[in-house]
Amino acid sequence: DVKVTQSSRYLVKRTGEKVFLECVQDMDHENMFWYRQDPGLGLRLIYFSYDVKMKEKGDIPEGYSVSREKKERFSLILESASTNQTSMYLCASESAIAKNIQYFGAGTRLSVL
Amino acid sequence: AQSVTQLGSHVSVSEGALVLLRCNYSSSVPPYLFWYVQYPNQGLQLLLKYTSAATLVKGINGFEAEFKKSETSFHLTKPSAHMSDAAEYFCAVSDSGGGADGLTFGKGTHLIIQP
């Protein structure tokens, strides 16, 4: 089975802190994604990556950056956390061959106080 | 650009009753369509997908969906609801079938099963 692991289920941070959300997949997938999920808004794409050291902006990249130094790991970075970034963050991966079949991690619920 | 609209943020049905979750899409090219399900405290998992083969698609757990081009719809159905079906359901569209540009998700429908 494909496994996508997000390092934390719950995080509480203070405004202005730098926050790292980590995601690791074990299926050698080329493509990885970060979404945020908010009630009534569904999932919105923040960033995605189709190769090591490659990244593309999604629909809502402002206030976020990403890092993909290794194929299996995709990190989401909040340079200076703000209260409006309180949300559920979901990481996903997909094979470049079987596109659009995305495998999701369990999510990280981030609270910024 | 593509988009999906899910009618009803919450749908409540009795156990054993028909489940119908509605999804309409907008796409300038033939779309690839998906339904994902999110059980409480879990990530999303693929329920079923339409990729231009048969218009009636069968998924896991007894769910199926029918692609209707004339209605730009891809509604999800299950003949008889079970308590374990209680979850959030997301319709999603891709117009590429390729390229890592991600899926466009609807806002989700929370399915409630009444005993």
Side-chain angles (χ1 to χ4, degrees):
Chain A
D1 282 352
V2 176
K3 194 167 184 182
V4 179
T5 303
Q6 295 184 229
S7 54
S8 304
R9 290 300 307 273
Y10 301 94
L11 272 179
V12 180
K13 297 291 181 181
R14 295 197 179 278
T15 302
E17 279 193 77
K18 190 169 186 176
V19 181
F20 293 86
L21 304 183
E22 306 287 349
C23 175
V24 177
Q25 50 95 3
D26 67 356
M27 279 301 292
D28 202 36
H29 283 168
E30 292 80 9
N31 305 335
M32 296 188 73
F33 306 82
W34 275 107
Y35 296 90
R36 65 177 282 176
Q37 182 180 12
D38 299 288
L41 296 178
L43 275 72
R44 292 178 291 168
L45 181 64
I46 305 171
Y47 268 98
F48 62 94
S49 168
Y50 54 87
D51 201 354
V52 175
K53 297 191 184 296
M54 305 301 288
K55 60 184 180 182
E56 295 287 342
K57 293 180 179 179
D59 299 318
I60 52 164
E62 296 79 17
Y64 304 93
S65 61
V66 290
S67 172
R68 192 157 181 212
E69 296 297 318
K70 294 185 178 181
K71 190 175 185 180
E72 68 270 19
R73 185 180 297 271
F74 192 34
S75 302
L76 180 69
I77 303 158
L78 287 65
E79 296 288 342
S80 177
S82 62
T83 55
N84 63 12
Q85 293 179 309
T86 292
S87 185
M88 171 70 87
Y89 290 88
L90 293 170
C91 174
S93 73
E94 84 183 3
S95 164
I97 298 171
K99 292 184 174 64
N100 297 313
I101 301 176
Q102 297 189 4
Y103 296 85
F104 283 80
T108 296
R109 186 167 294 283
L110 173 67
S111 296
V112 182
L113 305 179
Chain B
Q2 66 271 28
S3 65
V4 289
T5 301
Q6 292 183 240
L7 296 176
S9 60
H10 292 77
V11 169
S12 180
V13 302
S14 298
E15 192 173 16
L18 171 72
V19 175
L20 171 61
L21 304 182
R22 299 177 187 274
C23 173
N24 289 88
Y25 70 90
S26 171
S27 178
S28 58
V29 297
Y32 288 22
L33 293 159
F34 308 82
W35 276 98
Y36 279 80
V37 59
Q38 184 180 31
Y39 297 105
N41 299 313
Q42 296 185 26
L44 279 72
Q45 63 183 84
L46 182 68
L47 202 54
L48 49 81
K49 59 176 178 168
Y50 166 77
T51 55
S52 76
T55 56
L56 182 62
V57 181
K58 294 187 183 297
I60 60 173
N61 301 335
F63 283 93
E64 61 182 36
E66 186 173 8
F67 173 69
K68 291 187 176 181
K69 185 178 179 181
S70 61
E71 299 177 7
T72 61
S73 69
F74 190 57
H75 301 332
L76 181 70
T77 60
K78 183 175 179 178
S80 177
H82 191 272
M83 294 299 290
S84 61
D85 294 328
E88 187 102 23
Y89 292 79
F90 293 92
C91 183
V93 64
S94 169
D95 63 6
S96 67
D101 54 357
L103 294 161
T104 299
F105 286 88
K107 295 182 178 180
T109 297
H110 187 199
L111 178 62
I112 301 162
I113 310 297
Q114 304 281 4

PDB file of all heavy atoms in Angstrom, chain A residues 2-25:
ATOM      1  N   VAL A   2       0.362   2.254  -0.718  1.00  0.00           N
ATOM      2  CA  VAL A   2       1.034   3.546  -0.708  1.00  0.00           C
ATOM      3  C   VAL A   2       0.877   4.181   0.657  1.00  0.00           C
ATOM      4  O   VAL A   2      -0.195   4.123   1.257  1.00  0.00           O
ATOM      5  CB  VAL A   2       0.414   4.475  -1.769  1.00  0.00           C
ATOM      6  CG1 VAL A   2       1.044   5.858  -1.680  1.00  0.00           C
ATOM      7  CG2 VAL A   2       0.597   3.893  -3.153  1.00  0.00           C
ATOM      8  N   LYS A   3       1.957   4.747   1.127  1.00  0.00           N
ATOM      9  CA  LYS A   3       1.852   5.425   2.407  1.00  0.00           C
ATOM     10  C   LYS A   3       2.398   6.836   2.275  1.00  0.00           C
ATOM     11  O   LYS A   3       3.519   7.040   1.804  1.00  0.00           O
ATOM     12  CB  LYS A   3       2.624   4.666   3.481  1.00  0.00           C
ATOM     13  CG  LYS A   3       2.289   5.134   4.882  1.00  0.00           C
ATOM     14  CD  LYS A   3       2.813   4.162   5.926  1.00  0.00           C
ATOM     15  CE  LYS A   3       2.382   4.591   7.319  1.00  0.00           C
ATOM     16  NZ  LYS A   3       2.901   3.695   8.361  1.00  0.00           N
ATOM     17  N   VAL A   4       1.581   7.794   2.682  1.00  0.00           N
ATOM     18  CA  VAL A   4       1.994   9.185   2.744  1.00  0.00           C
ATOM     19  C   VAL A   4       1.917   9.588   4.201  1.00  0.00           C
ATOM     20  O   VAL A   4       0.841   9.531   4.814  1.00  0.00           O
ATOM     21  CB  VAL A   4       1.081  10.078   1.881  1.00  0.00           C
ATOM     22  CG1 VAL A   4       1.530  11.525   1.986  1.00  0.00           C
ATOM     23  CG2 VAL A   4       1.099   9.611   0.426  1.00  0.00           C
ATOM     24  N   THR A   5       3.048   9.980   4.735  1.00  0.00           N
ATOM     25  CA  THR A   5       3.142  10.261   6.163  1.00  0.00           C
ATOM     26  C   THR A   5       3.423  11.728   6.388  1.00  0.00           C
ATOM     27  O   THR A   5       4.382  12.284   5.840  1.00  0.00           O
ATOM     28  CB  THR A   5       4.263   9.421   6.803  1.00  0.00           C
ATOM     29  OG1 THR A   5       4.009   8.031   6.559  1.00  0.00           O
ATOM     30  CG2 THR A   5       4.316   9.660   8.306  1.00  0.00           C
ATOM     31  N   GLN A   6       2.578  12.347   7.183  1.00  0.00           N
ATOM     32  CA  GLN A   6       2.810  13.722   7.595  1.00  0.00           C
ATOM     33  C   GLN A   6       3.318  13.700   9.031  1.00  0.00           C
ATOM     34  O   GLN A   6       2.779  12.992   9.868  1.00  0.00           O
ATOM     35  CB  GLN A   6       1.524  14.533   7.464  1.00  0.00           C
ATOM     36  CG  GLN A   6       1.085  14.650   6.010  1.00  0.00           C
ATOM     37  CD  GLN A   6      -0.141  15.527   5.811  1.00  0.00           C
ATOM     38  OE1 GLN A   6      -1.082  15.141   5.137  1.00  0.00           O
ATOM     39  NE2 GLN A   6      -0.137  16.735   6.364  1.00  0.00           N
ATOM     40  N   SER A   7       4.347  14.467   9.278  1.00  0.00           N
ATOM     41  CA  SER A   7       5.113  14.302  10.522  1.00  0.00           C
ATOM     42  C   SER A   7       4.314  14.606  11.774  1.00  0.00           C
ATOM     43  O   SER A   7       4.561  14.023  12.826  1.00  0.00           O
ATOM     44  CB  SER A   7       6.364  15.177  10.480  1.00  0.00           C
ATOM     45  OG  SER A   7       6.002  16.517  10.196  1.00  0.00           O
ATOM     46  N   SER A   8       3.346  15.505  11.688  1.00  0.00           N
ATOM     47  CA  SER A   8       2.581  15.873  12.876  1.00  0.00           C
ATOM     48  C   SER A   8       1.094  15.829  12.569  1.00  0.00           C
ATOM     49  O   SER A   8       0.676  16.230  11.488  1.00  0.00           O
ATOM     50  CB  SER A   8       2.954  17.277  13.347  1.00  0.00           C
ATOM     51  OG  SER A   8       4.327  17.386  13.589  1.00  0.00           O
ATOM     52  N   ARG A   9       0.278  15.361  13.486  1.00  0.00           N
ATOM     53  CA  ARG A   9      -1.173  15.436  13.331  1.00  0.00           C
ATOM     54  C   ARG A   9      -1.707  16.778  13.806  1.00  0.00           C
ATOM     55  O   ARG A   9      -2.637  17.319  13.246  1.00  0.00           O
ATOM     56  CB  ARG A   9      -1.857  14.314  14.122  1.00  0.00           C
ATOM     57  CG  ARG A   9      -1.658  12.928  13.557  1.00  0.00           C
ATOM     58  CD  ARG A   9      -2.187  12.787  12.130  1.00  0.00           C
ATOM     59  NE  ARG A   9      -3.555  13.196  11.968  1.00  0.00           N
ATOM     60  CZ  ARG A   9      -4.610  12.413  12.156  1.00  0.00           C
ATOM     61  NH1 ARG A   9      -4.445  11.172  12.543  1.00  0.00           N
ATOM     62  NH2 ARG A   9      -5.839  12.862  11.948  1.00  0.00           N
ATOM     63  N   TYR A  10      -1.084  17.300  14.876  1.00  0.00           N
ATOM     64  CA  TYR A  10      -1.511  18.576  15.445  1.00  0.00           C
ATOM     65  C   TYR A  10      -0.274  19.422  15.743  1.00  0.00           C
ATOM     66  O   TYR A  10       0.741  18.914  16.218  1.00  0.00           O
ATOM     67  CB  TYR A  10      -2.304  18.359  16.736  1.00  0.00           C
ATOM     68  CG  TYR A  10      -3.537  17.509  16.570  1.00  0.00           C
ATOM     69  CD1 TYR A  10      -3.483  16.137  16.808  1.00  0.00           C
ATOM     70  CD2 TYR A  10      -4.742  18.057  16.166  1.00  0.00           C
ATOM     71  CE1 TYR A  10      -4.601  15.348  16.641  1.00  0.00           C
ATOM     72  CE2 TYR A  10      -5.873  17.268  15.992  1.00  0.00           C
ATOM     73  CZ  TYR A  10      -5.795  15.918  16.235  1.00  0.00           C
ATOM     74  OH  TYR A  10      -6.907  15.137  16.061  1.00  0.00           O
ATOM     75  N   LEU A  11      -0.410  20.707  15.426  1.00  0.00           N
ATOM     76  CA  LEU A  11       0.661  21.656  15.738  1.00  0.00           C
ATOM     77  C   LEU A  11       0.028  22.943  16.257  1.00  0.00           C
ATOM     78  O   LEU A  11      -0.990  23.387  15.714  1.00  0.00           O
ATOM     79  CB  LEU A  11       1.474  21.995  14.482  1.00  0.00           C
ATOM     80  CG  LEU A  11       2.663  21.126  14.087  1.00  0.00           C
ATOM     81  CD1 LEU A  11       3.274  21.668  12.805  1.00  0.00           C
ATOM     82  CD2 LEU A  11       3.692  21.067  15.201  1.00  0.00           C
ATOM     83  N   VAL A  12       0.660  23.525  17.259  1.00  0.00           N
ATOM     84  CA  VAL A  12       0.237  24.834  17.748  1.00  0.00           C
ATOM     85  C   VAL A  12       1.453  25.736  17.700  1.00  0.00           C
ATOM     86  O   VAL A  12       2.487  25.413  18.290  1.00  0.00           O
ATOM     87  CB  VAL A  12      -0.330  24.757  19.175  1.00  0.00           C
ATOM     88  CG1 VAL A  12      -0.749  26.147  19.635  1.00  0.00           C
ATOM     89  CG2 VAL A  12      -1.507  23.793  19.247  1.00  0.00           C
ATOM     90  N   LYS A  13       1.335  26.838  16.993  1.00  0.00           N
ATOM     91  CA  LYS A  13       2.447  27.775  16.835  1.00  0.00           C
ATOM     92  C   LYS A  13       1.977  29.193  17.145  1.00  0.00           C
ATOM     93  O   LYS A  13       0.770  29.469  17.164  1.00  0.00           O
ATOM     94  CB  LYS A  13       2.990  27.712  15.402  1.00  0.00           C
ATOM     95  CG  LYS A  13       3.568  26.353  15.028  1.00  0.00           C
ATOM     96  CD  LYS A  13       4.841  26.076  15.788  1.00  0.00           C
ATOM     97  CE  LYS A  13       5.419  24.726  15.398  1.00  0.00           C
ATOM     98  NZ  LYS A  13       6.681  24.431  16.168  1.00  0.00           N
ATOM     99  N   ARG A  14       2.942  30.062  17.345  1.00  0.00           N
ATOM    100  CA  ARG A  14       2.615  31.454  17.618  1.00  0.00           C
ATOM    101  C   ARG A  14       2.803  32.297  16.362  1.00  0.00           C
ATOM    102  O   ARG A  14       3.620  31.983  15.494  1.00  0.00           O
ATOM    103  CB  ARG A  14       3.498  31.984  18.738  1.00  0.00           C
ATOM    104  CG  ARG A  14       3.245  31.301  20.078  1.00  0.00           C
ATOM    105  CD  ARG A  14       3.805  32.094  21.246  1.00  0.00           C
ATOM    106  NE  ARG A  14       3.526  31.435  22.513  1.00  0.00           N
ATOM    107  CZ  ARG A  14       2.377  31.548  23.157  1.00  0.00           C
ATOM    108  NH1 ARG A  14       1.410  32.278  22.663  1.00  0.00           N
ATOM    109  NH2 ARG A  14       2.198  30.920  24.308  1.00  0.00           N
ATOM    110  N   THR A  15       2.072  33.372  16.309  1.00  0.00           N
ATOM    111  CA  THR A  15       2.183  34.320  15.196  1.00  0.00           C
ATOM    112  C   THR A  15       3.636  34.754  15.027  1.00  0.00           C
ATOM    113  O   THR A  15       4.311  35.078  16.008  1.00  0.00           O
ATOM    114  CB  THR A  15       1.307  35.553  15.466  1.00  0.00           C
ATOM    115  OG1 THR A  15      -0.047  35.126  15.644  1.00  0.00           O
ATOM    116  CG2 THR A  15       1.365  36.516  14.301  1.00  0.00           C
ATOM    117  N   GLY A  16       4.096  34.727  13.776  1.00  0.00           N
ATOM    118  CA  GLY A  16       5.455  35.141  13.478  1.00  0.00           C
ATOM    119  C   GLY A  16       6.474  34.017  13.472  1.00  0.00           C
ATOM    120  O   GLY A  16       7.590  34.204  12.968  1.00  0.00           O
ATOM    121  N   GLU A  17       6.120  32.861  13.984  1.00  0.00           N
ATOM    122  CA  GLU A  17       7.055  31.732  13.990  1.00  0.00           C
ATOM    123  C   GLU A  17       7.229  31.178  12.581  1.00  0.00           C
ATOM    124  O   GLU A  17       6.328  31.256  11.734  1.00  0.00           O
ATOM    125  CB  GLU A  17       6.534  30.604  14.883  1.00  0.00           C
ATOM    126  CG  GLU A  17       6.786  30.795  16.355  1.00  0.00           C
ATOM    127  CD  GLU A  17       6.524  29.508  17.144  1.00  0.00           C
ATOM    128  OE1 GLU A  17       7.381  28.599  17.103  1.00  0.00           O
ATOM    129  OE2 GLU A  17       5.458  29.410  17.763  1.00  0.00           O
ATOM    130  N   LYS A  18       8.376  30.586  12.334  1.00  0.00           N
ATOM    131  CA  LYS A  18       8.606  29.845  11.101  1.00  0.00           C
ATOM    132  C   LYS A  18       8.173  28.407  11.343  1.00  0.00           C
ATOM    133  O   LYS A  18       8.576  27.791  12.335  1.00  0.00           O
ATOM    134  CB  LYS A  18      10.077  29.911  10.701  1.00  0.00           C
ATOM    135  CG  LYS A  18      10.371  29.370   9.310  1.00  0.00           C
ATOM    136  CD  LYS A  18      11.791  29.713   8.880  1.00  0.00           C
ATOM    137  CE  LYS A  18      12.044  29.315   7.434  1.00  0.00           C
ATOM    138  NZ  LYS A  18      13.382  29.717   6.960  1.00  0.00           N
ATOM    139  N   VAL A  19       7.348  27.884  10.445  1.00  0.00           N
ATOM    140  CA  VAL A  19       6.743  26.569  10.650  1.00  0.00           C
ATOM    141  C   VAL A  19       7.095  25.653   9.482  1.00  0.00           C
ATOM    142  O   VAL A  19       7.023  26.065   8.317  1.00  0.00           O
ATOM    143  CB  VAL A  19       5.201  26.679  10.762  1.00  0.00           C
ATOM    144  CG1 VAL A  19       4.593  25.297  11.013  1.00  0.00           C
ATOM    145  CG2 VAL A  19       4.809  27.640  11.886  1.00  0.00           C
ATOM    146  N   PHE A  20       7.488  24.450   9.809  1.00  0.00           N
ATOM    147  CA  PHE A  20       7.799  23.442   8.796  1.00  0.00           C
ATOM    148  C   PHE A  20       6.805  22.286   8.921  1.00  0.00           C
ATOM    149  O   PHE A  20       6.655  21.710   9.997  1.00  0.00           O
ATOM    150  CB  PHE A  20       9.217  22.885   8.999  1.00  0.00           C
ATOM    151  CG  PHE A  20      10.309  23.874   8.744  1.00  0.00           C
ATOM    152  CD1 PHE A  20      10.741  24.725   9.751  1.00  0.00           C
ATOM    153  CD2 PHE A  20      10.911  23.951   7.500  1.00  0.00           C
ATOM    154  CE1 PHE A  20      11.750  25.645   9.515  1.00  0.00           C
ATOM    155  CE2 PHE A  20      11.926  24.865   7.248  1.00  0.00           C
ATOM    156  CZ  PHE A  20      12.344  25.717   8.264  1.00  0.00           C
ATOM    157  N   LEU A  21       6.148  21.964   7.822  1.00  0.00           N
ATOM    158  CA  LEU A  21       5.295  20.778   7.760  1.00  0.00           C
ATOM    159  C   LEU A  21       5.965  19.790   6.809  1.00  0.00           C
ATOM    160  O   LEU A  21       6.274  20.136   5.668  1.00  0.00           O
ATOM    161  CB  LEU A  21       3.888  21.131   7.267  1.00  0.00           C
ATOM    162  CG  LEU A  21       3.127  22.195   8.055  1.00  0.00           C
ATOM    163  CD1 LEU A  21       1.730  22.360   7.490  1.00  0.00           C
ATOM    164  CD2 LEU A  21       3.059  21.852   9.532  1.00  0.00           C
ATOM    165  N   GLU A  22       6.159  18.577   7.315  1.00  0.00           N
ATOM    166  CA  GLU A  22       6.905  17.588   6.541  1.00  0.00           C
ATOM    167  C   GLU A  22       5.985  16.495   6.011  1.00  0.00           C
ATOM    168  O   GLU A  22       5.034  16.076   6.679  1.00  0.00           O
ATOM    169  CB  GLU A  22       7.987  16.951   7.423  1.00  0.00           C
ATOM    170  CG  GLU A  22       8.929  17.936   8.087  1.00  0.00           C
ATOM    171  CD  GLU A  22       9.921  18.554   7.122  1.00  0.00           C
ATOM    172  OE1 GLU A  22      10.031  18.067   5.974  1.00  0.00           O
ATOM    173  OE2 GLU A  22      10.573  19.536   7.492  1.00  0.00           O
ATOM    174  N   CYS A  23       6.315  16.015   4.827  1.00  0.00           N
ATOM    175  CA  CYS A  23       5.540  14.957   4.201  1.00  0.00           C
ATOM    176  C   CYS A  23       6.500  13.992   3.507  1.00  0.00           C
ATOM    177  O   CYS A  23       7.398  14.423   2.768  1.00  0.00           O
ATOM    178  CB  CYS A  23       4.575  15.552   3.177  1.00  0.00           C
ATOM    179  SG  CYS A  23       3.644  14.337   2.224  1.00  0.00           S
ATOM    180  N   VAL A  24       6.303  12.710   3.747  1.00  0.00           N
ATOM    181  CA  VAL A  24       7.141  11.675   3.145  1.00  0.00           C
ATOM    182  C   VAL A  24       6.245  10.616   2.507  1.00  0.00           C
ATOM    183  O   VAL A  24       5.277  10.175   3.125  1.00  0.00           O
ATOM    184  CB  VAL A  24       8.059  11.018   4.199  1.00  0.00           C
ATOM    185  CG1 VAL A  24       8.870   9.895   3.571  1.00  0.00           C
ATOM    186  CG2 VAL A  24       8.971  12.055   4.821  1.00  0.00           C
ATOM    187  N   GLN A  25       6.590  10.211   1.283  1.00  0.00           N
ATOM    188  CA  GLN A  25       5.856   9.121   0.622  1.00  0.00           C
ATOM    189  C   GLN A  25       6.832   7.999   0.274  1.00  0.00           C
ATOM    190  O   GLN A  25       7.998   8.256  -0.003  1.00  0.00           O
ATOM    191  CB  GLN A  25       5.107   9.631  -0.623  1.00  0.00           C
ATOM    192  CG  GLN A  25       5.936  10.455  -1.593  1.00  0.00           C
ATOM    193  CD  GLN A  25       6.542   9.680  -2.743  1.00  0.00           C
ATOM    194  OE1 GLN A  25       6.326   8.482  -2.897  1.00  0.00           O
ATOM    195  NE2 GLN A  25       7.308  10.382  -3.578  1.00  0.00           N
TER     196      GLN A  25
END
